[in-house]
């Protein structure tokens, strides 16, 4: 199980990139942190999620 934004998901063994394709997140306007480290967008396809990983996805919102 991987914890994503506080929810446990059965996505261990999936790359971050492949998992993001199954979500409504727009990779152009998010930042992803895995185990307290920011993941560069260029590494999304290389990062394989593992049991007990903690992932936080943050969307950027514009405004003023």
């Amino acid at each position: 199980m991987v914890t994503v934004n506080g929810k446990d998901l059965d996505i261990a063994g999936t790359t971050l990139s492949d998992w993001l394709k199954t979500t409504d997140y727009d990779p152009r306007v998010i930042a992803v942190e895995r185990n307290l480290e920011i993941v560069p967008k260029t590494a999304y396809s290389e990062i394989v999620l593992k049991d007990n990983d903690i992932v936080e996805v943050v969307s950027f919102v514009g405004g003023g």
Side-chain angles (χ1 to χ4, degrees), residues 22-41:
T22 70
T23 70
D24 291 330
Y25 291 116
D26 181 347
R28 296 172 297 166
V29 294
I30 63 170
V32 178
E33 177 185 275
R34 181 177 137 240
N35 301 330
L36 302 176
E37 293 186 17
I38 299 295
V39 178
K41 291 183 189 308

Side-chain angles (χ1 to χ4, degrees), residues 7-51:
K7 294 183 180 181
D8 289 334
L9 301 178
D10 188 15
I11 56 173
T14 305
T15 65
L16 183 55
S17 178
D18 286 343
W19 173 72
L20 284 170
K21 291 175 188 174
T22 70
T23 70
D24 291 330
Y25 291 116
D26 181 347
R28 296 172 297 166
V29 294
I30 63 170
V32 178
E33 177 185 275
R34 181 177 137 240
N35 301 330
L36 302 176
E37 293 186 17
I38 299 295
V39 178
K41 291 183 189 308
T42 56
Y44 286 4
S45 61
E46 300 167 12
I47 299 294
V48 177
L49 299 169
K50 298 179 175 77
D51 280 329

